[in-house]
Amino acid sequence: MSLIFYMHQPILLKNYRFFEIGKGHDYFNTNSNTEVIKSLETNSFGPINKVLLEIFQRTDLKFKIGFSFSGSTLDLMETFCPSVIKNLKKMNDLGNVEFLSQTYSQSNLSLKSKQEFREQILAQKQKIFNIFGQLPRAFLNLTGYSPSFLCKILSEMGFKVWVQPQKLENKIPFGQSFNFYQTVATPIMKILMASHLFEQNLFVSSKQFKEIDLSHEVALKRIEMTFKKYEMVCILVNYADLDITKPKTEKLIQFLKNIPAFAKDKGIEFFTPSELQGSNKFNSSLLLLNKRGISKKEGSVKMNNLQSEILEILNAMRDDVFKTKDEEILKTWFCLQDNRNFSQLEFEADPSYCKPESAVKSYINFRNILEDFSQRVKQQLLNNNLTYKSNFNFKTPQDLPTLSGETLRLY
């Protein structure tokens, strides 16, 4: 069994006005970011990590766990809740902890640019190494990158295992007898299928379990039944889904407290994804995939014209940004690309969900930030005696893109 706790928290933008361009470079909402991450510390990180630390004190249980945090999440932890980092370091020091790779932010540009994907991965890996002394050897695909894309680029970057939270394609018999794959094109790469904890229905009534209040004992029984079907199981837990004030989180805590001893009693071993590298232990569970078995559908993203234009501006700036080699500029660059910022540019036919006026307001705010950011990049390059290539002019309201949509095919 493999348990992986993960988290991505974007760094939220503030309302950046036109008259601030060229005068202030603070693009992020400090109050909102502090409130969000401190709430997570109180209701999620703190109580969950306390339980995990207690489990690690029992070395006889041979408990193992994986963590995956985006670079932006770690930035927020370091700034506003260093005690979370401290507890993660304690668990790391006790051993049997693996930190998995993901992109620095949930970057829309990295879906379009292979080089951006590489830079995001390298930056997050460096962040993990600087804090915990580990270099991630397995990748967690949270952003929905096309598996056909990942097979090639991850193998080029030295990864041999990636964790896939979703089905590669409906034709693959996931849910039958296999959840561990290998491709013909890149046989060195192994794909571990994973299910989100609360999608496993461990705590939900079924025909087999009639209990009204489904406790952790019921969840443990279901885990035992799962292992009669699978040789290995990988479960993902998103810290963002957990809140100590909610009943389902309390059930998870009881489940965590009991699963190590339960697994030991049933002969179920814990493993981390990178342990699959070069191991023949689970070869009987390995299913070989040809090209037809690998979907490309996950590489498509629906974008409206506001989102497409912002993405094109970012893409035009990319080379200049990396030429600066400035740590703060690069960190800001990664965070600006986050999918959350693009979601603010969405609009729907239902005005009660998202008004077009709100999307345009967010677009203007984003453009103000990018205008100032481009000036910072330009000045840094001039300081380094380098040439600045990208350039754009802020558009007046009548020149704003129309609100019609288009599908952007990525990979």
Side-chain angles (χ1 to χ4, degrees):
M1 173 185 291
S2 182
L3 282 175
I4 300 173
F5 282 75
Y6 71 93
M7 180 70 200
H8 167 64
Q9 175 57 43
I11 300 181
L12 308 176
L13 299 179
K14 76 173 189 177
N15 186 16
Y16 189 87
R17 301 182 183 278
F18 182 79
F19 64 79
E20 295 181 72
I21 297 173
K23 298 178 181 179
H25 308 315
D26 183 11
Y27 313 133
F28 303 106
N29 191 325
T30 301
N31 291 336
S32 294
N33 286 313
T34 304
E35 182 180 348
V36 169
I37 201 69
K38 293 296 286 185
S39 176
L40 284 166
E41 178 184 21
T42 301
N43 297 321
S44 181
F45 293 131
I48 297 300
N49 289 351
K50 180 181 177 182
V51 171
L52 294 175
L53 270 169
E54 291 172 353
I55 294 173
F56 273 110
Q57 301 298 325
R58 291 277 310 275
T59 56
D60 61 302
L61 296 177
K62 298 181 180 180
F63 183 67
K64 299 179 182 181
I65 197 168
F67 292 111
S68 184
F69 301 103
S70 65
S72 63
T73 304
L74 292 170
D75 287 336
L76 289 169
M77 288 179 180
E78 285 186 305
T79 304
F80 301 115
C81 45
S83 62
V84 175
I85 296 289
K86 183 179 179 180
N87 285 336
L88 289 169
K89 284 183 175 179
K90 285 182 180 179
M91 284 186 269
N92 186 44
D93 292 341
L94 290 170
N96 294 332
V97 169
E98 176 179 351
F99 289 92
L100 282 74
S101 179
Q102 59 173 286
T103 44
Y104 203 92
S105 67
Q106 288 195 353
S107 162
N108 276 18
L109 186 57
S110 67
L111 287 163
K112 183 180 179 67
S113 166
K114 293 181 180 180
Q115 186 58 36
E116 182 64 33
F117 177 85
R118 290 189 180 94
E119 295 294 344
Q120 290 252 351
I121 294 296
L122 292 173
Q124 189 263 1
K125 288 178 69 174
Q126 187 64 53
K127 187 78 177 178
I128 293 292
F129 181 77
N130 291 345
I131 298 175
F132 304 109
Q134 278 196 35
L135 278 177
R137 295 180 292 168
F139 177 78
L140 177 59
N141 183 19
L142 291 176
T143 310
Y145 296 97
S146 165
S148 60
F149 162 68
L150 288 181
C151 276
K152 183 176 181 180
I153 196 167
L154 289 180
S155 61
E156 291 173 353
M157 296 184 71
F159 291 99
K160 294 182 175 62
V161 176
W162 100 62
V163 179
Q164 178 71 25
Q166 302 168 343
K167 301 177 184 178
L168 293 179
E169 189 170 309
N170 292 334
K171 294 179 181 179
I172 294 176
F174 180 72
Q176 295 179 14
S177 58
F178 292 91
N179 51 12
F180 187 36
Y181 301 96
Q182 193 174 45
T183 66
V184 173
T186 54
I188 197 172
M189 180 65 63
K190 295 179 180 179
I191 308 166
L192 177 62
M193 303 298 287
S195 298
H196 292 277
L197 177 68
F198 294 114
E199 292 178 2
Q200 290 241 340
N201 295 327
L202 295 177
F203 304 100
V204 179
S205 298
S206 71
K207 294 180 180 179
Q208 293 172 299
F209 297 95
K210 301 293 185 180
E211 289 88 345
I212 296 175
D213 180 18
L214 298 187
S215 62
H216 67 276
E217 288 92 352
V218 175
L220 293 173
K221 289 178 184 177
R222 291 184 172 179
I223 287 290
E224 183 180 8
M225 290 182 62
T226 301
F227 272 93
K228 292 180 180 179
K229 190 174 186 179
Y230 294 97
E231 189 177 1
M232 61 165 61
V233 172
C234 183
I235 297 176
L236 298 175
V237 184
N238 187 353
Y239 277 105
D241 291 337
L242 308 177
D243 185 336
I244 194 64
T245 63
K246 296 180 179 179
K248 73 174 185 179
T249 301
E250 181 57 35
K251 291 180 181 180
L252 169 66
I253 288 177
Q254 294 303 318
F255 174 77
L256 285 175
K257 286 181 178 180
N258 288 275
I259 188 63
F262 178 85
K264 181 181 179 181
D265 181 60
K266 300 297 180 181
I268 299 171
E269 297 181 8
F270 290 95
F271 69 92
T272 59
S274 67
E275 290 182 298
L276 300 176
Q277 295 181 197
S279 172
N280 296 321
K281 184 175 182 179
F282 297 107
N283 276 0
S284 60
S285 298
L286 193 63
L287 182 66
L288 197 63
L289 300 180
N290 56 30
K291 290 184 178 180
R292 292 182 179 179
I294 301 180
S295 171
K296 297 183 180 180
K297 294 179 181 178
E298 291 178 67
S300 296
V301 175
K302 177 78 172 179
M303 282 195 170
N304 62 41
N305 288 350
L306 299 181
Q307 295 167 321
S308 295
E309 181 177 300
I310 292 294
L311 189 67
E312 288 307 312
I313 292 172
L314 289 167
N315 193 39
M317 294 176 64
R318 193 184 64 80
D319 290 343
D320 285 334
V321 170
F322 283 103
K323 282 195 298 184
T324 67
K325 298 182 179 179
D326 183 276
E327 183 177 348
E328 286 304 314
I329 286 178
L330 288 172
K331 187 181 294 186
T332 300
W333 166 252
F334 292 141
C335 295
L336 288 177
Q337 302 172 40
D338 199 275
N339 181 61
R340 197 268 181 186
N341 299 329
F342 281 81
S343 70
Q344 301 300 300
L345 308 179
E346 292 177 357
F347 48 85
E348 302 290 337
D350 181 5
S352 64
Y353 176 75
C354 185
K355 297 181 179 180
E357 294 82 2
S358 177
V360 172
K361 183 179 178 180
S362 295
Y363 166 84
I364 294 173
N365 190 63
F366 210 155
R367 285 295 304 252
N368 288 343
I369 290 172
L370 292 179
E371 176 71 37
D372 183 82
F373 183 67
S374 70
Q375 292 180 15
R376 286 176 61 191
V377 172
K378 182 176 182 179
Q379 186 58 53
Q380 185 64 38
L381 290 177
L382 291 174
N383 293 343
N384 296 342
N385 296 318
L386 296 171
T387 303
Y388 180 78
K389 293 182 179 180
S390 57
N391 190 28
F392 65 91
N393 297 313
F394 187 82
K395 295 187 177 183
T396 59
Q398 59 265 30
D399 295 326
L400 292 176
T402 60
L403 299 182
S404 60
E406 62 180 7
T407 299
L408 179 65
R409 174 64 64 176
L410 308 174
Y411 298 116

